[in-house]
Amino acid sequence: MRAVVAVKRVVDYAVKVRVKADKSAVETDSVKMSMNPFCEIAVEEGLRLKEKGHLKELIAVSCGPDKASETLRQALAMGADRAIHIKTKLRTDQELQPLHVAKLLAKIVEKESPTMVLLGKQAIDDDSNQTGSMLAGLMGWPQAGSASKVEVDESKTFITVAREVDSGIQEVKCPLPSVVTADLRLNEPRYATLPNLMKAKKKPMEVLEAESLGVDLAPRLQVLRVEEPPARAGGKKVDSVDDLVDKLKNEAKVL
C-alpha cells in the first residue's frame, strides 16, 4: 500500500497574527511559518501506519511558493519517503482555494495511485475544512473526516475510523482507497530531529508547476476585507448577585 499525505505551510500557531495596513490580507512577510498542525498529525499517522507494516511508501505533497519546500523537508525529516512540490505564486490562504487544492491533489492521486490519502481536517489560516471532502468527491472515494483513530483491516481492503462528532465518537468502516482527514486527538506528532533534517535534504522532491497540471486556478471567492477582532472590554466587579443579574440582563443582554 502507498499513501499520499498533503501538508500546508501556514503562519505558525504561536505567532500573533497581524492584518496588513490596507486590510487586504494577513501579514506574512518576516513572519514565522510552519507546517499546519493538523497536517503534522496526518503525517504522523501515515508514519505509524508504515511502521505497522500497512504502508510501504508515504509521499508528502504540498501546494505553494518556493518556501513550501521547507514544509515538505520537515515531512521528509519526520519520515516520509519522498515529496512532490506543486509550485504556485498564489497566496495559499486566500487565492489558492480548497477546490483548487483538491483538483491539484486529484492529479497527483491519478499519477501515484495511492491506496489512501491523508490530510489535516483543516488549515489554521483559512479554517475551511473543505479540501478532504472535495478530493473524495472528485475521486469518487469514501471519506472519513475528523479521525481520532485509524485501523487497517488485515485484508488491507478496509479501514475502520473513529470520528469525533458532536454527540461523541462515531465509528465508520470504509473500503480502500479512501480519504482520511486527521483531528487533533488522532496522535502526538514526533519532532523532526536535526540529523533527520539533514538526511531529508537527500530524499527526492519532485517539483511541478501548478499550471502544468491543467487545473483552472481562477479564484471562486474574493476576500473583500480582513479585520482584527475587536479588543475585549475590561472586566467589572459587582457588589452583589442582584447587580450581576441586572448587568447580564440589561447590559450584556444574555439573560
Side-chain angles (χ1 to χ4, degrees), residues 188-249:
E188 183 70 29
R190 68 194 69 187
Y191 288 103
T193 62
L194 182 58
N196 286 335
L197 285 168
M198 300 302 291
K199 292 176 184 177
K201 294 180 180 180
K202 297 180 180 179
K203 290 185 177 181
M205 182 184 300
E206 183 180 1
V207 179
L208 302 172
E209 294 292 336
E211 292 76 10
S212 70
L213 296 176
V215 174
D216 179 10
L217 299 178
R220 268 60 173 182
L221 303 172
Q222 179 185 0
V223 176
L224 301 179
R225 187 179 178 88
V226 178
E227 294 185 357
E228 293 186 10
R232 291 184 63 181
K236 294 181 180 179
K237 289 185 177 180
V238 294
D239 296 325
S240 67
V241 173
D242 291 338
D243 287 343
L244 174 61
V245 172
D246 179 68
K247 290 185 180 297
L248 290 174
K249 278 185 177 179

Side-chain angles (χ1 to χ4, degrees), residues 125-171:
D125 53 1
D126 60 11
D127 277 329
S128 292
N129 197 355
Q130 295 174 343
T131 304
S133 301
M134 288 178 170
L135 174 60
L138 290 170
M139 298 305 300
W141 289 8
Q143 183 217 354
S146 302
S148 60
K149 186 177 181 181
V150 179
E151 293 181 340
V152 179
D153 185 73
E154 289 183 4
S155 65
K156 296 186 179 180
T157 57
F158 287 89
I159 56 172
T160 303
V161 180
R163 300 182 59 244
E164 295 197 14
V165 297
D166 289 344
S167 57
I169 302 297
Q170 179 190 70
E171 191 171 282

Side-chain angles (χ1 to χ4, degrees), residues 9-139:
R9 182 174 181 264
V10 299
V11 175
D12 188 85
Y13 73 93
V15 170
K16 179 176 172 56
V17 175
R18 293 178 290 111
V19 175
K20 285 186 173 184
D22 63 1
K23 298 188 183 300
S24 62
V26 167
E27 184 63 69
T28 56
D29 294 336
S30 302
V31 173
K32 182 183 177 183
M33 309 290 282
S34 61
M35 187 187 296
N36 177 49
F38 290 97
C39 297
E40 276 191 288
I41 294 168
V43 173
E44 176 64 30
E45 192 61 24
L47 296 174
R48 294 188 183 192
L49 291 173
K50 185 181 174 186
E51 289 166 353
K52 291 175 182 177
H54 299 308
L55 298 177
K56 289 186 177 180
E57 186 179 34
L58 183 65
I59 307 165
V61 183
S62 187
C63 308
D66 291 339
K67 289 189 175 180
S69 62
E70 298 173 5
T71 305
L72 285 170
R73 290 294 176 197
Q74 182 185 346
L76 293 172
M78 290 174 70
D81 298 289
R82 56 188 174 96
I84 300 174
H85 180 188
I86 303 174
K87 192 181 292 187
T88 176
K89 294 181 180 179
L90 296 174
R91 278 189 67 120
T92 55
D93 61 336
Q94 287 188 0
E95 298 167 329
L96 190 69
Q97 295 168 1
L99 182 59
H100 302 147
V101 178
K103 288 182 175 181
L104 291 170
L105 289 176
K107 295 291 184 181
I108 299 302
V109 170
E110 292 171 4
K111 173 175 175 285
E112 297 293 342
S113 300
T115 310
M116 186 185 304
V117 179
L118 297 160
L119 308 91
K121 74 168 186 176
Q122 66 194 78
I124 62 172
D125 53 1
D126 60 11
D127 277 329
S128 292
N129 197 355
Q130 295 174 343
T131 304
S133 301
M134 288 178 170
L135 174 60
L138 290 170
M139 298 305 300

